Amino acid sequence: MAVKSNRFALYILMFNMFIAMAGIGLIIPIMPGYLDTFGAAGQVFGFLIATFAFAQFLFSPLSGNLSDRYGRKKLIIFGLVVFGVSQLIFGLASHLWILFAARFLSGLGSAFLVPPMMAFVADITTFEERGKGMGWLGASMSLGFMIGPSIGGFLANVSLQFPFYIACSAALIAALSSWFILPDPHAPAHRPEEGSGKPGDNIISQLRRSAAMPYFVLLIIMLVFSFGLANFQATISFYVDKKYNYTPSDIAVLLTVGGFIGVIVQTFVVGPLFKKFGEMQVILVNLAVAAIAMIGILFVHTFWTILLVATFFFTATSLLRPAINTLISKMAGDGQGFAAGLMNAYMSLGNMIGPALAGTLFDVNMAYPYVAGMLILSGCLAITSIWAAKNRERLNHLRTREVQTAG
C-alpha cells in the first residue's frame, strides 16, 4: 500500500512540474508579439528571463530549508499559487514594469515549487530507486518545457493574453488538487546539522555554507551544466538563422527532437543506467559528450548533421541533471530540502550567466559561445575527475549501500 501511495504521490509531483514548466515555456513564441504591444523587443525579453532566474536564485535555498522544517506539501501549494497568480498578472499587465514584477513573482513561485518537489522525491523513494524517481521528475520538467511553446502558440490564436490565463488556471487547479490528494510526509523533526541551513541564513550565507558541503563540487557541476545548456539554447536559433537561413520550423525541429529524446531517456534509461554504472560515471561521460557536441556544432553543415549533434548535446544534458540531483540527494542525509534549494540556486545562476555571456560573445563572433562553452565544460570535466578520484571511497560506499538496499 505504501509503495502504491508513493507512486501516486510521484505522479502528482510530475503533473505539478509539468504544469510549471509548460507555463514557463509557453511564453517563448508569444513574447515577440506581446512585447510589441509595449514597444519593447529582444533586449527586454533577455532581461525578463534574467529576472525570473534571479528570483529563483534568491529564494531557492530558503524554500528548500523551509521545506525541511515545515514539510514539502505546504511549500509546493504555495509555489503553485504564486506561480499561477504571476501568470495572471503578466497577462493583465498594462505597463512594462508590471511584466518584470510578474516574472520576478513567477521565479519566486518556481523557487518555492521545484526544491520541495525534488526533496519530496527523495522522501518517498528508496536509496536504490532515487535515480529513477529523479529521472521521472526531470522527464516531466523537460516534457513541460518542450510542449509549452506549442501550447502557447496554439492558444495565442485566441489572443496574446489567453495563454497566460490558461497557465494561471492550470497552476491553481494543480494547487487545489495537491491540497486534497497529495500526501504530506511529516517534516523531518531533526535538529539543525551540517547538511541543513539555518532559519536566519540569507542567500549569501547559504552559498558560503554550501562550500563546506561534501557535495559542493557537484553544485559547481550543476552551475556549469546549466550555463552550458542555457548558452546553447540561447544561441543555437540565432546561429542557424544567421549562418544557414533556417526557418522557424527548422529551428523548432532542432529543439523539439532533442528535447523529446531527452524525455525518453529520463523516463526509461536513467534508472538502469545509474544501477549499472553509477551516477558519477554517467556525469563524467556526459560532461565529455556535452563538451564535444558543443564544439562539434561548428564543424557540421547539413540540417541532419546539425540535428544529430544538437540531439547528442540535449541527450547528454538530460542525463546530467538527474545524475547530479540523485548523487547530491544521496550525500545530503537529512538536509534534502536544503540540498535541493542549493541545486536550484546554482542552476538558476547558470541560467542567468549563460544567456548573457553567450549573447555578448555571439555579437563578437558567432563561434565564440561554443568555443567558450566547450572550454568551460572541459574544465569542469577535469575538476570533476580529480574530485571523483579523491572521493572514490565515499562514492564506492554509496554504490555498495545501493546494492545492499536492492538486495
Side-chain angles (χ1 to χ4, degrees), residues 378-400:
S378 298
C380 182
L381 174 61
I383 293 171
T384 307
S385 300
I386 295 170
W387 181 84
K390 288 183 177 180
N391 290 269
R392 184 175 289 111
E393 186 175 340
R394 178 194 290 268
L395 295 170
N396 287 340
H397 173 71
L398 292 175
R399 289 279 290 156
T400 302

Side-chain angles (χ1 to χ4, degrees), residues 351-366:
N351 289 339
M352 280 192 292
I353 297 171
L357 181 60
T360 302
L361 292 175
F362 190 88
D363 287 343
V364 178
N365 186 302
M366 67 174 65

Side-chain angles (χ1 to χ4, degrees), residues 127-391:
F127 198 80
E128 179 213 358
E129 292 292 321
R130 193 162 301 168
K132 182 178 180 180
M134 291 293 184
W136 284 14
L137 191 68
S140 64
M141 177 185 291
S142 300
L143 185 64
F145 197 76
M146 183 179 70
I147 293 179
S150 299
I151 296 174
F154 175 75
L155 295 176
N157 290 324
V158 178
S159 75
L160 288 175
Q161 293 78 19
F162 188 63
F164 300 107
Y165 304 153
I166 296 299
C168 170
S169 301
L172 296 180
I173 290 172
L176 192 63
S177 62
S178 296
W179 177 271
F180 286 108
I181 63 179
L182 186 66
D184 192 9
H186 295 294
H190 63 279
R191 60 187 178 278
E193 53 186 70
E194 182 187 6
S196 301
K198 297 177 181 178
D201 279 354
N202 56 35
I203 180 64
I204 302 301
S205 299
Q206 295 205 33
L207 289 178
R208 190 180 298 119
R209 283 173 57 81
S210 72
M213 296 295 108
Y215 47 78
F216 176 65
V217 167
L218 296 172
L219 294 173
I220 298 301
I221 300 170
M222 177 64 81
L223 187 156
V224 172
F225 135 71
S226 301
F227 165 87
L229 180 58
N231 182 330
F232 193 88
Q233 288 177 325
T235 57
I236 187 63
S237 58
F238 290 97
Y239 176 77
V240 296
D241 173 60
K242 299 294 184 185
K243 190 167 184 178
Y244 302 111
N245 295 316
Y246 278 16
T247 66
S249 297
D250 294 331
I251 296 169
V253 170
L254 286 179
L255 299 177
T256 303
V257 170
F260 180 73
I261 292 178
V263 170
I264 298 298
V265 166
Q266 287 174 315
T267 304
F268 299 106
V269 179
V270 161
L273 206 60
F274 289 178
K275 288 179 183 178
K276 185 173 179 62
F277 299 105
E279 293 84 7
M280 180 48 66
Q281 194 62 34
V282 172
I283 290 171
L284 292 171
V285 169
N286 285 285
L287 278 173
V289 172
I292 293 169
M294 178 73 82
I295 195 67
I297 205 74
L298 300 177
F299 297 94
V300 290
H301 307 288
T302 67
F303 176 81
W304 293 109
T305 53
I306 292 173
L307 176 62
L308 181 64
V309 172
T311 300
F312 269 110
F313 180 83
F314 285 124
T315 302
T317 55
S318 72
L319 285 168
L320 278 168
R321 181 183 285 114
I324 299 167
N325 290 345
T326 302
L327 195 51
I328 290 178
S329 177
K330 289 179 177 180
M331 300 177 74
D334 289 330
Q336 293 294 330
F338 180 66
L342 287 175
M343 280 189 279
N344 211 42
Y346 276 84
M347 181 175 68
S348 301
L349 196 57
N351 289 339
M352 280 192 292
I353 297 171
L357 181 60
T360 302
L361 292 175
F362 190 88
D363 287 343
V364 178
N365 186 302
M366 67 174 65
Y368 284 178
Y370 305 102
V371 174
M374 182 274 295
L375 292 174
I376 292 172
L377 286 168
S378 298
C380 182
L381 174 61
I383 293 171
T384 307
S385 300
I386 295 170
W387 181 84
K390 288 183 177 180
N391 290 269

